[in-house]
Amino acid sequence: MQERRPHPLLAQVPLTVSPFISLPTATTLPYTYKSLPSTLPPSSTGDDNGTDKPKYVVSASGHAAHPDEIIASCKALQAHLHKIQDDAERTIREWENGIKERELAEKRRLAPGWLDREEKILEPAKKRNSIAASSARVVPEPNIMDSQDGGPAVRSLTEEKAAEGDELDRAFGGMGLR
């Protein structure tokens, strides 16, 4: 009785009305028509070489897979992540080495030859008289705490400190404090 009604899918197809075109009549489907299921069964013409494993792990989205396929994809993802991490570390090392090379070039530009020698700390040359005197006799330094009234030991220490200060002033010039 409802054979005259068009199928709901066919009724959704838009038609254009034009004076030059005659409209077709709605097609009626045979009574043996069955709509397709939403999921199709696996193909019967697929590879049957024994490597197809049953896919019994099904995700919420409907994707089915065998555990071996899941493990293989995880290992491939892990290998990919290791490759990306190694590339990133290599890039960072190259960047840091470039920075060090630029800093070294700048230091060589400012003080040529300084980095090429093994002697890095500059020490003033000692006077020959003081070397001979120090090797001839060893005199213990007087302790300030031993003298009670600021005797000759304290005075000699202050004189030595003043002499060192004078030497520094002669070497570097009088640097006034501000």
Side-chain angles (χ1 to χ4, degrees), residues 64-140:
H66 191 269
D68 293 339
E69 294 172 358
I70 295 171
I71 292 172
S73 68
C74 288
K75 287 182 180 177
L77 177 63
Q78 189 176 21
H80 178 69
L81 290 175
H82 282 301
K83 179 183 171 285
I84 289 174
Q85 184 176 7
D86 292 341
D87 291 344
E89 288 174 355
R90 183 176 31 84
T91 304
I92 289 173
R93 266 187 266 117
E94 289 173 357
W95 176 67
E96 288 174 347
N97 289 339
I99 290 173
K100 287 179 184 176
E101 289 174 5
R102 285 191 298 274
E103 288 177 353
L104 184 63
E106 178 66 17
K107 288 176 184 175
R108 282 203 169 117
R109 186 184 69 80
L110 293 175
W114 170 256
L115 297 174
D116 300 329
R117 289 184 284 174
E118 295 199 17
E119 303 154 353
K120 298 296 183 200
I121 300 175
L122 295 178
E123 293 182 9
K126 296 183 180 180
K127 294 181 183 176
R128 297 220 182 258
N129 296 342
S130 65
I131 294 173
S134 66
S135 63
R137 60 187 168 104
V138 177
V139 178

Side-chain angles (χ1 to χ4, degrees), residues 2 12 33 35 47 67 72 78 91 97-98 111 127 139 143 162 171 177:
Q2 294 183 355
Q12 292 177 5
Y33 173 77
S35 60
D47 294 340
Q78 189 176 21
T91 304
N97 289 339
K127 294 181 183 176
V139 178
N143 191 350
L177 296 176

